[in-house]
Amino acid sequence: MKKVIITGATSGIGRELAVQLADKGYSVGLTGRRTERLEELKQEIGDLAFFRTLDVTDHERAEHVYDELINEMGGLDIMILNAGIGKDKLLPHWISDKQTIEVNVLAFAHGMNFAFRYFKKQGHGQIVGMSSIASLLASGRASTYTASKHFISNYMTGFRRKVKRIKADITITDLRPGFIKSELTDNVKNMFWVAPTDKAVRQMVKAIERKKSHAYITKRWRLVAWLAKITPQFVWDRI
Ligand SMILES: NC(=O)c1ccc[n+]([C@@H]2O[C@H](COP(=O)([O-])OP(=O)(O)OC[C@H]3O[C@@H](n4cnc5c(N)ncnc54)[C@H](OP(=O)(O)O)[C@@H]3O)[C@@H](O)[C@H]2O)c1
């Protein structure tokens, strides 16, 4: 059965991905900073779960942790780079922006590089990146978050092209959720079409198993993606 590492598995989407994939028989390597949450999840999932406490911004430790989880699980088929943060309103602007870039951009790029190197050597594998519908937008209120998700999607497109030039069967899956219930969205106002976490993750699992290059979650967000692509810049500037 397949073996998968999930970053940011202590809550929300990452936690639900771990539960649903383990239900299907996958071995799941769980990471996050909150150890007690990882222990709880291990209790819930049982033998198929392996975990390590990890702050993904510590790239050196991340390398060790991924290697250790791969050894314990006996291999790796899928790397899910899910850890991410939004704007922290309690922090000064620049500190919050810097943190978002460190987690959503730098740590994501580090995870991509680790997984790509590993799967290239192995000859096959799948990298799943948690982008967002926000990757297609530029928000005045959350400009760092939208820019960080644009980086993630654009970076994955680049890696998908890189794969074509090498002899390895590597799938790069770009997941672009709209609003989903989680700790990240707990204090977000003016949300619409908010999907329950389990429903959204079921669609994510389907997209991963079908080896999609990208998927909007839930499906209705395809409409927003289409609108985002055809709406002229001057209209966005007025919204
Ligand atoms: N919810 C939505 O509407 C939505 C929409 C589009 C995209 N997304 C994306 O989906 C992903 C998951 O978010 P979520 O909604 O499930 O929010 P969440 O419940 O807040 O989960 C975020 C996860 O990221 C982990 N994380 C954050 N900083 C980390 C760090 N420095 N090192 C390691 N792990 C870290 C957290 O674990 P610890 O705190 O334990 O470290 C947690 O497990 C994010 O990339 C988010 O941008 C969410």
Side-chain angles (χ1 to χ4, degrees):
M1 193 38 92
K2 289 197 169 167
K3 295 150 181 107
V4 50
I5 287 179
I6 305 170
T7 68
T10 52
S11 63
I13 296 168
R15 187 185 199 287
E16 184 64 23
L17 274 166
V19 170
Q20 289 194 21
L21 289 171
D23 270 355
K24 283 173 161 270
Y26 288 62
S27 293
V28 288
L30 316 168
T31 72
R33 289 166 302 177
R34 289 169 288 181
T35 309
E36 66 294 347
R37 297 277 191 103
L38 294 167
E39 284 166 353
E40 273 168 35
L41 193 51
K42 163 78 186 160
Q43 285 284 325
E44 188 178 326
I45 293 174
D47 289 347
L48 290 173
F50 303 82
F51 72 90
R52 287 285 183 289
T53 306
L54 173 68
D55 181 334
V56 285
T57 63
D58 183 346
H59 306 160
E60 206 174 311
R61 177 164 161 75
E63 298 265 334
H64 290 303
V65 160
Y66 300 149
D67 281 338
E68 282 173 6
L69 286 172
I70 291 168
N71 275 339
E72 278 180 36
M73 291 192 292
L76 182 69
D77 301 289
I78 309 174
M79 180 76 158
I80 304 184
L81 301 168
N82 163 73
I85 56 172
K87 192 182 181 76
D88 187 336
K89 290 181 189 142
L90 300 175
L91 292 174
H93 275 306
W94 167 240
I95 304 294
S96 168
D97 282 4
K98 186 165 168 278
Q99 271 185 6
T100 303
I101 294 165
E102 279 168 354
V103 177
N104 296 10
V105 177
L106 282 176
F108 180 86
H110 172 258
M112 270 301 282
N113 276 275
F114 175 90
F116 186 77
R117 207 183 327 130
Y118 182 86
F119 291 141
K120 187 177 169 192
K121 197 167 165 206
Q122 175 168 270
H124 61 90
Q126 184 174 12
I127 307 173
V128 179
M130 198 59 69
S131 180
S132 168
I133 189 75
S135 64
L136 301 169
L137 309 168
S139 156
R141 287 209 190 100
S143 53
T144 313
Y145 184 77
T146 51
S148 74
K149 293 299 178 181
H150 182 77
F151 173 88
I152 287 177
S153 285
N154 193 285
Y155 200 56
M156 281 192 275
T157 303
F159 268 80
R160 209 173 288 116
R161 289 182 188 154
K162 206 191 284 247
V163 167
K164 289 201 174 121
R165 300 201 306 266
I166 60 167
K167 283 198 192 105
D169 177 17
I170 301 173
T171 303
I172 313 269
T173 301
D174 177 353
L175 296 178
R176 298 175 182 175
F179 292 120
I180 296 172
K181 187 132 190 45
S182 75
E183 289 178 14
L184 188 92
T185 51
D186 265 354
N187 298 314
V188 178
K189 294 192 181 95
N190 303 322
M191 291 193 296
F192 57 99
W193 292 352
V194 184
T197 325
D198 57 341
K199 177 184 175 188
V201 168
R202 268 195 300 280
Q203 292 189 15
M204 289 180 183
V205 169
K206 225 178 242 177
I208 293 168
E209 291 193 321
R210 290 182 181 166
K211 297 197 168 185
K212 295 263 189 198
S213 63
H214 66 273
Y216 293 99
I217 310 289
T218 54
K219 290 191 187 98
R220 56 171 60 175
W221 285 90
R222 275 186 295 199
L223 176 65
V224 176
W226 174 74
L227 280 174
K229 284 174 191 164
I230 62 159
T231 305
Q233 199 58 47
F234 74 88
V235 176
W236 282 117
D237 289 347
R238 283 175 199 188
I239 294 174

